[in-house]
Amino acid sequence: MRFKHTAITLALITTLSACGGSGSDDSSTETPVEPTTGFSFAATEMITNLTDDVIVAGYANLAAEGDALLLATQALLSASATQADLVAAQNAWKSAREPWEQGESHIFGPVDSLSIDPHLDSWPLNTTDLQTQLDNNSGFDAETIKAWNDDVQGFHTMEYLLFGNGVDSNTKLIADLTTSEREYLIALAEVFRDYAVQLDDAWQVSYNPQDTNALPYAELLKTPGDVNNAIYSSQLSVIEELINGMIGIVDEVGNGKIADPFGESLATADTSKVESQYSWNSLTDFADNIIGVRNVYQGEFIGSTDKTGVIDFVAAADPALSTRVASEIDDAIISIQAISGSTDMPFRQAILDETGRARVQTAVDALSTLQSSLESDVLPLLSEWNS
């Protein structure tokens, strides 16, 4: 149960009377005004911090990781490329994956309107068409790949080429990486880098490359209600966007990314539905998704100084609720990470193991609890906020 702060305004009406020279006493009466329910919170600092130090900072990091990934794949084309070079490219892929997955907690704005999400992260991968492209093309170039279907480019195409099929292992030998695969990887990484830069620019330069007057999307988030802002009419609409972003990814992780391959029973588990299965990076992906929720909620990245986040908005209405949700976010992250158990079991194996499935169910339950709190307790605060 949450409580509401009640602001009671008392109007003091003083009536002064003078009756001849008798000097009669002044009389005062207090007339209570009908109380208003709700709570007050100044949102400008929170919105500015989340925009600049969480969202924009995350996309800038993604663009930087895209550059590093391209350089790492280019090293693979050398005749002297070694297994260490392949491992470096694999690690660069994982490093780029982190800010992207954390950013799914705020997957609105240009990432959606510019179709960057499907360009970078379509799943499942079409391995049949991928092989057709490898068999029928050579000397791949970025502009050509951009015209292809999303399911033969982006994160998971690079993942498949870098790590192999992921069935028995996520270790691929450099000797098994063909020249055609190396060329395809480099072009894919260039495409990835271009889209990451475009997304970064959309937030910091102009959200619509076709409109020279379009503002940076960050400015739209920070100036709701401005005459030039056709997207956000008020700070309330911005906070609603942020909260719904958190709800959306919690729902997707618990009821999609985990639940779909998990199935109703061991007999119905389906490893083909596991995202990031080739690299065995699934659990890291899922945890990063919820770490992204924590970033928005707390208003900070790990290791950063405390700044204003959604937790402060919630605390203005209900301090106990704000603490409970923070704990539920941490519980969800820990439960996801615990799925690997003591043997570092990848998710695709955990859903086929009875004890692993018990750990998966614990994580699903934690995500369900968090989603319920965000939907039933946090989101309704918007209607109580005296904005």
Side-chain angles (χ1 to χ4, degrees):
M1 179 184 293
R2 66 172 184 274
F3 64 88
K4 303 175 184 176
H5 288 295
T6 302
I8 302 177
T9 305
L10 299 179
L12 183 62
I13 303 176
T14 305
T15 305
L16 301 177
S17 303
C19 300
S22 65
S24 61
D25 294 338
D26 295 339
S27 61
S28 300
T29 58
E30 292 183 349
T31 305
V33 174
E34 193 70 25
T36 59
T37 61
F39 65 98
S40 296
F41 176 75
T44 300
E45 181 181 345
M46 181 193 77
I47 292 172
T48 299
N49 174 53
L50 291 179
T51 301
D52 293 341
D53 292 352
V54 175
I55 300 176
V56 171
Y59 286 138
N61 186 24
L62 179 69
E65 295 294 351
D67 282 333
L69 178 58
L70 177 56
L71 289 173
T73 58
Q74 288 171 336
L76 297 175
L77 198 56
S78 169
S80 59
T82 66
Q83 188 66 30
D85 292 316
L86 177 55
V87 171
Q90 292 170 339
N91 289 335
W93 180 89
K94 291 178 181 179
S95 294
R97 192 77 177 145
E98 180 179 312
W100 174 260
E101 290 300 295
Q102 291 185 13
E104 289 198 335
S105 63
H106 47 76
I107 198 159
F108 54 78
V111 71
D112 178 42
S113 63
L114 299 178
S115 298
I116 291 176
D117 180 24
H119 290 331
L120 294 189
D121 202 25
S122 284
W123 178 258
L125 177 65
N126 189 329
T127 54
T128 300
D129 285 355
L130 186 158
Q131 191 59 50
T132 298
Q133 300 294 359
L134 286 169
D135 293 340
N136 297 320
N137 294 279
S138 62
F140 297 91
D141 69 276
E143 292 309 311
T144 298
I145 288 176
K146 287 177 183 179
W148 292 352
N149 290 340
D150 290 330
D151 58 4
V152 291
Q153 56 178 295
F155 267 117
H156 298 299
T157 305
M158 290 187 287
E159 179 192 10
Y160 184 83
L161 296 174
L162 285 167
F163 294 91
N165 64 21
V167 174
D168 299 314
S169 156
N170 64 340
T171 301
K172 185 171 182 174
L173 299 178
I174 188 69
D176 295 330
L177 192 64
T178 67
T179 299
S180 183
E181 288 177 336
R182 298 177 200 215
E183 292 173 345
Y184 194 7
L185 266 170
I186 294 169
L188 287 166
E190 184 177 347
V191 171
F192 178 91
R193 187 276 313 274
D194 290 350
Y195 283 132
V197 169
Q198 183 183 14
L199 181 56
D200 186 32
D201 285 347
W203 278 85
Q204 300 199 62
V205 181
S206 169
Y207 78 93
N208 182 358
Q210 309 305 318
D211 182 359
T212 56
N213 295 317
L215 295 170
Y217 202 83
E219 291 306 309
L220 297 179
L221 223 61
K222 292 187 292 185
T223 58
D226 184 82
V227 65
N228 295 317
N229 193 337
I231 297 178
Y232 297 105
S233 60
S234 65
Q235 289 185 331
L236 188 146
S237 64
V238 173
I239 300 175
E240 182 178 18
E241 182 95 275
L242 292 166
I243 294 173
N244 277 325
M246 294 190 293
I247 292 171
I249 192 58
V250 172
D251 175 51
E252 183 179 345
V253 173
N255 298 315
K257 293 184 179 185
I258 292 178
D260 286 348
F262 183 56
E264 296 295 327
S265 65
L266 180 60
T268 59
D270 187 351
T271 58
S272 70
K273 296 179 179 179
V274 176
E275 188 175 10
S276 295
Q277 60 177 277
Y278 311 125
S279 58
W280 292 5
N281 204 59
S282 308
L283 293 178
T284 300
D285 278 4
F286 306 159
D288 277 334
N289 287 153
I290 310 306
I291 289 171
V293 171
R294 184 168 64 189
N295 291 342
V296 173
Y297 191 71
Q298 298 285 1
E300 64 191 61
F301 286 119
I302 299 299
S304 299
T305 56
D306 290 343
K307 292 188 177 181
T308 311
V310 174
I311 187 173
D312 298 286
F313 172 79
V314 178
D318 187 339
L321 173 61
S322 71
T323 301
R324 172 164 64 83
V325 172
S327 179
E328 289 172 359
I329 292 172
D330 288 339
D331 286 346
I333 295 168
I334 292 169
S335 296
I336 291 169
Q337 294 169 333
I339 291 174
S340 61
S342 60
T343 60
D344 200 23
M345 183 180 291
F347 180 67
R348 62 170 294 140
Q349 294 180 12
I351 61 175
L352 301 178
D353 177 86
E354 287 291 359
T355 57
R357 288 182 65 83
R359 296 191 296 269
V360 173
Q361 187 61 59
T362 298
V364 169
D365 293 342
L367 288 162
S368 178
T369 297
L370 173 59
Q371 182 177 346
S372 178
S373 292
L374 291 172
E375 290 178 338
S376 302
D377 298 325
V378 174
L379 191 61
L381 294 177
L382 290 168
S383 63
E384 302 174 14
W385 177 38
N386 296 320
S387 60

